[in-house]
Amino acid sequence: MGEGGRQGGGKVEEKEEAHFDGGHFTHAEALRPYKLLLSGAVAGVVSRTSTAPIDRLRMLFQVHESRSRMTIMQGVRKMAAEGTIKSFFRGNGANCLKIAPETALKFAINDRIKRFVCNGGDTSKMGYFERLLSGGISGGIAQGSIYPLEMIRTRLGVAPVGTYVGITDCARQVYTKEGVRALYRGLAPSMSGIIPYAGTDIATFEIVKQKMVEYYGGEPPGYVLIGTGMFASSVAQLVSYPFALVRTRLQAQGMGGETNKYNGMIDVVVKTVRREGMTGLYKGIVPNLLKLAPAAGISWYTFEKTKIALGIDIRS
């Protein structure tokens, strides 16, 4: 299998010439950030659209505030009762509008940080903690820059049918009825959660991918990239999921001018544990893993394949 891997990976044996030349960036180096931005945007849209129904099911679980558990079938029937197949993809337009720039920025910023730390040199020698820190910072910057779209995406996914007629209408209603601060509701737990999630996800994927590239002598098979992405995402989810639940509940409250149920991140945690127990903080994690693990696998696979198609080495 190792020999076959070497034959399949021959096209990526030579690393791209993308370093400094006389104090200036080479042409390949100058184009690298744009290639990574494009690769990240494509990866985000492809992965999220393919798993949109599971993502909406996850949000329905998170905002279901009761000790009686909502089952997967109940969630599916709730979506199906809304009418057409489009109900399973409610909020996906906002999701893609949000995930494309977020994923693009996350990967591009992560690459810049790593290459800055290594002074433009070989990033393959970076340790897990360095990658964890780089990934966390890049994830935090990326999500913070497009956060209102995340809030709108959540509202479109959990609001009763007819509440909003689209992304623009949702943004307008939230702004006029709840104020501009409502567009950033849940930002604190979101940032608290994305930093460990993105850091763990990126660091775990990069380390495992590096081992797979060494094992196969070049580009690993597609199923290996997908499996590596799914594994990295699952590990990251176990670390950061309670933050995602808190964020979703803060984003969902106040719809239509209703009185807020929570005063902040700590209040959500206290009330959730009091009413639903500690396991309430992980409500919806099963559909979330069912959605996010394959979504991450697809995302990482698409990102790596797009990178290669654009001339960026699998090792970098």
Side-chain angles (χ1 to χ4, degrees), residues 17-19 21 24-33 35:
E17 293 296 327
H19 298 290
D21 180 16
H24 300 283
F25 282 123
T26 65
H27 181 65
E29 178 72 7
L31 290 178
R32 182 182 175 92
K35 292 178 179 180

Side-chain angles (χ1 to χ4, degrees), residues 56 73-84 87-88 161:
R56 187 167 179 227
M73 284 308 300
Q74 286 174 332
V76 171
R77 283 196 292 267
K78 179 179 176 64
M79 290 188 289
E82 294 174 4
T84 67
S87 65
F88 289 86
V161 178

Side-chain angles (χ1 to χ4, degrees), residues 15-49:
K15 292 187 178 182
E16 64 175 346
E17 293 296 327
H19 298 290
F20 290 104
D21 180 16
H24 300 283
F25 282 123
T26 65
H27 181 65
E29 178 72 7
L31 290 178
R32 182 182 175 92
Y34 302 103
K35 292 178 179 180
L36 290 171
L37 284 169
L38 177 59
S39 299
V42 171
V45 171
V46 170
S47 66
R48 289 307 174 91
T49 300

Side-chain angles (χ1 to χ4, degrees), residues 91-95 97 149 152 156 164-172:
N92 189 54
N95 200 14
L97 191 62
L149 287 171
I152 291 169
L156 289 172
Y164 308 113
V165 294
I167 297 170
T168 303
D169 180 59
C170 180
R172 181 186 60 80

Side-chain angles (χ1 to χ4, degrees), residues 36 39-40 43 107 298-308:
L36 290 171
S39 299
F107 287 140
I298 294 168
S299 179
W300 278 113
Y301 170 81
T302 306
F303 177 68
E304 294 294 336
K305 287 294 185 179
T306 307
K307 270 174 52 181
I308 293 168

Side-chain angles (χ1 to χ4, degrees), residues 123-276:
T123 60
S124 65
K125 294 182 174 60
M126 290 181 69
Y128 187 86
F129 178 75
E130 292 173 305
R131 294 177 188 273
L132 186 76
L133 191 59
S134 175
I137 292 172
S138 61
I141 293 173
Q143 182 159 114
S145 65
I146 49 82
Y147 187 78
L149 287 171
E150 169 70 21
M151 194 273 184
I152 291 169
R153 192 266 307 205
T154 298
R155 283 292 181 89
L156 289 172
V158 302
V161 178
T163 304
Y164 308 113
V165 294
I167 297 170
T168 303
D169 180 59
C170 180
R172 181 186 60 80
Q173 287 198 47
V174 170
Y175 175 75
T176 56
K177 295 179 181 179
E178 305 169 52
V180 68
R181 291 183 62 182
L183 292 170
Y184 290 89
R185 189 172 286 152
L187 179 61
S190 182
M191 296 298 287
S192 299
I194 194 60
I195 291 173
Y197 173 80
T200 303
D201 181 40
I202 290 175
T204 303
F205 179 84
E206 289 181 346
I207 291 294
V208 177
K209 184 194 77 170
Q210 188 172 300
K211 298 296 183 183
M212 292 298 101
V213 169
E214 292 172 1
Y215 179 80
Y216 286 98
E219 181 184 340
Y223 69 87
V224 172
L225 290 174
I226 292 174
T228 300
M230 291 177 67
F231 171 73
S233 174
S234 297
V235 173
Q237 271 298 295
L238 293 174
V239 172
S240 63
Y241 187 79
F243 293 102
L245 180 134
V246 171
R247 177 198 66 202
T248 301
R249 290 194 172 183
L250 286 172
Q251 289 173 336
Q253 71 175 351
M255 285 188 287
E258 293 181 0
T259 304
N260 290 339
K261 299 178 182 178
Y262 307 106
N263 296 320
M265 184 169 65
I266 301 301
D267 192 40
V268 177
V269 174
V270 171
K271 289 179 178 176
T272 297
V273 172
R274 184 182 300 153
R275 289 195 302 252
E276 305 163 52

